[in-house]
Amino acid sequence: MDEIAEKSDFIRDIIREDLGKSKNTKKIYTRFPPEPNGYLHIGHAKAICLNFGIAEEFNGKCNLRFDDTNPTKEELEYVQSIKKDIKWLGFDWGQQEYYASDYFEKLFEFALILIKKGKAYVCDLSADEIRSYRGTLTSPGIQSPYRGRSIEENLLLFGQMRDGLFADGERVLRAKIDMSSPNLNMRDPIMYRILRSSHHRTGDKWCIYPTYDWAHGQSDSIENITYSICTLEFEDHRPLYDWFIEALGIHHPRQIEFARLNLTYTVMSKRVLLEMVEKKYVSGWDDPRMPTITGMRRRGYTPQAIRNFCQQIGVSKADSTIDMAFLEHFIREDLNKKTHRVMGVIKPLKVILDNYPAGAQEELDAINNPEDIEAGTRKVPFSKTLYIEQDDFMEDPHPKFYRLSVGREVRLRYAYFIRCTEVVKDKDGKIVEIHCSYDPLTKGGDAPDGRKVKATIHWVSAEHSLPAEVRLYANLFNNINPLKTEEGGNFKDNLNPDSLQTVKGCRLEPSLRGAKPGDTYQFERMGYFCVDPDSQNQETLIFNRTVTLKDDWAKIKTAG
Ligand code: ATP
Ligand code: MG
């Protein structure tokens, strides 16, 4: 599915309507506002495609803004990875790279304005007290005894907070709104806390830090954002953001919420993903099983496929969970068009062609990509000793098994018909090799006498083949919703112990010599595979299986 000319969804409809009202003079400004406290995941890709996509379509601009208000959880490594991943997805923020931390001074001034208007106060309650005074959804909160402080005292204390006169957590600045509001976010939310922690950009300049709720809306306003597009959980924060903006009398972006992306068998919570990395349930943020952009890149997913997926899922107000198979469908669709086909045997079984002359070899023509004739052909060497897939041979075939067994004939892709004559086993009864005869008249894959075979299998020439390791992946979790556990349980109870299977001793056709990390191929019949960075400077190529060839989603679609 290619990108269509005019995209439509409820957000774009709102924008078109606004544009109509303003006689199209309105400039569209969006932003993607990650918190640099982890790597981006496929859910972020949805938000990136949406914000950058809208800016592109409506001839506007999209800022990249790091909402870096929490120095204890944020790092430069995350900033760099976020930039790399957005670029890789194919989006460009140009010069508009911003940081909420660049607005710390401005936000401080805004806070002074609110204090002067009697709309903010310094509160000495402890964090626990603030929590218990806050009330619940069914009961109103209790006003802080410090709520009545004079403007002068608040200005003095807030200045002293900034100057470091108090210990961490000793005081906070709160908005003075409404302790009995049905919306808990409006019950005098915290704007500043005292926190002695070095910030990755401002160093030790500040010992008070704005909360996300205080920083976010004002940052959008400072940047003249017109559409502040965010996920549904911020719907309840909107009245607070509106209140701040109104109280300050500054530019008012329009906030629009959409449903976040959820995918089956995986998690999108950065907190959980971080724990998986830290506790080594995965090899890192770029583990190919992770739903992160960097993991997907390493796995062999393409930016185009991810963008196509994001476009097809669209945006809505209703929470839903998308089938992982749907994402994989787009990966296959894109790789099908782009990748060269090669032959690689994952679990080799040695085949000796008894009637093929010893020491002889020939070069057979193979098509690189039937979907793309311009991709041309290549030569594949053929000789007396080959490897085929163990699974393509059965000593006692069941009725539905049409591939090789003793006495039976199959086609070797791009080569000849072969017939199995004998099985050789070791003393334990394990098959070590099989013997076959080949029919020289069937070169290229057809018999002049018109006889048919029921299967075509892939192979490599033993002496010409290259060694490889492949990593086969299954879902990281066993449960459709990994966060759903028995009482007292945790996501790790749902980890799939078989999500990674490493297969060594694979053999590949020699055209793969020199393949580089990131190169992707279709191994005929076995799936799409991508060279892993671990291959660098190794004798043995290491491949990740990006995805199998079987398209469950296409099947679901026709079935249902
Ligand atoms: P956490 O996992 O800690 O909740 P977050 O999702 O809030 O992290 P941010 O860095 O704040 O992470 O996200 C940046 C932007 O990406 C936000 O605008 C957020 O709404 C959006 N976003 C995050 N997760 C998803 C998701 N699953 N689907 C769509 N958009 C998302
Ligand atoms: Mg967030």
Side-chain angles (χ1 to χ4, degrees):
M1 274 166 254
D2 284 313
E3 281 164 351
I4 46 168
E6 174 132 314
K7 296 173 196 165
S8 185
D9 54 54
F10 80 96
I11 298 180
R12 288 169 168 93
D13 290 347
I14 291 174
I15 296 175
R16 283 196 191 99
E17 203 192 316
D18 283 356
L19 280 174
K21 280 187 207 145
S22 70
K23 306 212 167 19
N24 290 310
T25 54
K26 188 169 173 172
K27 261 277 177 211
I28 304 298
Y29 280 104
T30 58
R31 85 287 174 263
F32 174 65
E35 202 185 330
N37 60 354
Y39 281 64
L40 296 182
H41 52 58
I42 180 82
H44 293 116
K46 175 176 176 176
I48 291 168
C49 289
L50 185 61
N51 282 295
F52 282 95
I54 284 177
E56 235 166 68
E57 290 152 47
F58 292 95
N59 206 8
K61 284 186 176 172
C62 180
N63 293 350
L64 168 60
R65 184 181 70 248
F66 292 95
D67 269 337
D68 52 351
T69 55
N70 185 352
T72 60
K73 292 198 174 145
E74 294 159 5
E75 287 173 27
L76 188 62
E77 177 196 345
Y78 298 138
V79 170
Q80 285 163 343
S81 75
I82 289 169
K83 284 161 53 169
K84 179 173 172 187
D85 289 349
I86 299 173
K87 279 202 187 123
W88 180 77
L89 282 171
F91 296 102
D92 183 8
W93 55 90
Q95 302 298 307
Q96 299 117 240
E97 177 179 330
Y98 301 119
Y99 295 80
S101 56
D102 289 345
Y103 311 139
F104 280 175
E105 198 64 53
K106 187 88 197 157
L107 291 167
F108 183 81
E109 285 167 23
F110 281 158
L112 293 178
I113 293 174
L114 292 194
I115 295 174
K116 287 179 192 158
K117 289 187 170 182
K119 289 176 186 289
Y121 63 98
V122 173
C123 180
D124 303 0
L125 293 179
S126 68
D128 283 344
E129 287 166 330
I130 290 179
R131 212 169 299 125
S132 66
Y133 278 45
R134 202 170 175 222
T136 64
L137 283 172
T138 49
S139 63
I142 302 166
Q143 295 196 353
S144 161
Y146 305 98
R147 205 173 196 260
R149 272 184 168 142
S150 69
I151 290 173
E152 290 67 36
E153 190 183 3
N154 281 320
L155 286 173
L156 179 73
L157 287 173
F158 186 50
Q160 289 176 337
M161 278 172 64
R162 176 185 181 155
D163 293 341
L165 268 60
F166 308 118
D168 285 11
E170 200 177 326
R171 290 193 158 94
V172 293
L173 184 75
R174 300 176 70 175
K176 194 193 272 190
I177 309 181
D178 179 4
M179 286 309 288
S180 56
S181 169
N183 183 341
L184 294 176
N185 294 309
M186 302 299 273
R187 296 186 185 170
D188 292 11
I190 296 174
M191 296 165 60
Y192 277 92
R193 63 250 198 248
I194 304 172
L195 185 64
R196 283 174 180 78
S197 174
S198 271
H199 187 279
H200 69 105
R201 284 177 67 85
T202 58
D204 294 319
K205 176 161 185 231
W206 295 87
C207 66
I208 56 170
Y209 287 98
T211 55
Y212 184 87
D213 272 346
W214 167 241
H216 184 75
Q218 277 55 257
S219 300
D220 280 348
S221 177
I222 291 168
E223 291 178 12
N224 282 315
I225 299 303
T226 51
Y227 297 97
S228 174
I229 301 169
C230 59
T231 39
L232 285 179
E233 70 272 23
F234 290 102
E235 197 159 16
D236 287 347
H237 296 242
R238 177 155 33 98
L240 173 61
Y241 297 171
D242 288 345
W243 187 91
F244 282 140
I245 298 264
E246 297 300 323
L248 292 166
I250 54 177
H251 164 72
H252 199 154
R254 176 162 181 185
Q255 175 169 316
I256 307 174
E257 305 88 11
F258 69 99
R260 56 171 51 227
L261 169 65
N262 301 301
L263 270 184
T264 55
Y265 299 104
T266 192
V267 286
M268 287 316 168
S269 153
K270 277 192 275 185
R271 180 186 56 76
V272 171
L273 295 176
L274 177 66
E275 193 176 338
M276 307 250 296
V277 172
E278 285 180 337
K279 299 226 170 110
K280 300 204 169 18
Y281 299 128
V282 290
S283 64
W285 286 99
D286 68 345
D287 187 302
R289 292 167 292 178
M290 289 280 269
T292 52
I293 304 298
T294 180
M296 291 181 169
R297 174 166 58 235
R298 183 166 174 188
R299 173 99 170 232
Y301 286 19
T302 61
Q304 186 65 55
I306 294 174
R307 292 205 307 267
N308 291 348
F309 166 74
C310 289
Q311 196 204 310
Q312 281 303 311
I313 57 174
V315 287
S316 81
K317 278 267 184 200
D319 262 318
S320 68
T321 301
I322 307 284
D323 194 326
M324 184 66 104
F326 191 57
L327 172 58
E328 292 184 345
H329 166 78
F330 289 92
I331 309 302
R332 288 186 186 97
E333 186 187 56
D334 194 42
L335 293 176
N336 180 43
K337 285 186 250 167
K338 294 177 179 163
T339 56
H340 280 194
R341 275 59 171 166
V342 291
M343 291 195 282
V345 175
I346 294 186
K347 292 180 183 160
L349 170 62
K350 188 188 262 186
V351 176
I352 295 161
L353 303 179
D354 291 325
N355 61 339
Y356 196 87
Q361 69 172 64
E362 57 194 304
E363 303 260 292
L364 304 173
D365 288 313
I367 294 167
N368 285 331
N369 186 353
E371 300 288 320
D372 174 12
I373 277 323
E374 304 209 333
T377 60
R378 67 186 185 286
K379 297 284 185 194
V380 187
F382 187 84
S383 66
K384 186 178 178 71
T385 306
L386 312 171
Y387 291 118
I388 63 167
E389 212 65 63
Q390 284 169 18
D391 285 349
D392 283 335
F393 176 81
M394 270 188 104
E395 204 180 0
D396 299 308
H398 54 71
K400 291 226 166 118
F401 186 85
Y402 298 118
R403 288 160 281 159
L404 204 55
S405 59
V406 179
R408 203 184 276 174
E409 197 169 44
V410 296
R411 176 188 294 111
L412 294 179
R413 178 83 156 147
Y414 298 123
Y416 297 96
F417 285 11
I418 60 167
R419 185 183 300 276
C420 180
T421 51
E422 190 194 350
V423 181
V424 178
K425 298 180 186 174
D426 64 13
K427 62 179 180 356
D428 301 322
K430 195 172 158 275
I431 299 174
V432 287
E433 62 185 41
I434 61 171
H435 288 251
C436 296
S437 62
Y438 87 110
D439 179 352
L441 297 177
T442 56
K443 183 165 181 173
D446 283 309
D449 62 5
R451 83 185 183 275
K452 300 283 178 216
V453 288
K454 284 200 170 143
T456 301
I457 64 174
H458 62 277
W459 54 275
V460 295
S461 163
E463 64 172 303
H464 301 96
S465 66
L466 309 176
E469 170 185 319
V470 307
R471 298 171 181 172
L472 307 176
Y473 300 103
N475 290 328
L476 196 43
F477 293 94
N478 280 323
N479 200 319
I480 281 199
N481 176 0
L483 298 180
K484 209 164 142 196
T485 54
E486 307 261 304
E487 184 109 30
N490 167 312
F491 70 86
K492 55 179 189 289
D493 302 333
N494 288 323
L495 278 171
N496 174 8
D498 302 316
S499 57
L500 166 63
Q501 190 198 343
T502 301
V503 188
K504 294 181 195 267
C506 314
R507 306 298 307 189
L508 310 178
E509 66 165 73
S511 73
L512 285 161
R513 182 170 282 116
K516 304 265 174 324
D519 289 353
T520 304
Y521 301 88
Q522 186 195 99
F523 289 8
E524 296 217 19
R525 302 173 63 227
M526 305 310 284
Y528 293 98
F529 290 77
C530 167
V531 182
D532 191 86
D534 285 351
S535 297
Q536 205 92 47
N537 309 320
Q538 297 279 319
E539 268 295 297
T540 302
L541 281 168
I542 300 172
F543 279 86
N544 296 307
R545 180 152 70 187
T546 310
V547 66
T548 59
L549 294 179
K550 203 172 97 200
D551 198 331
D552 287 337
W553 187 78
K555 267 196 338 209
I556 290 165
K557 209 170 89 169
T558 46

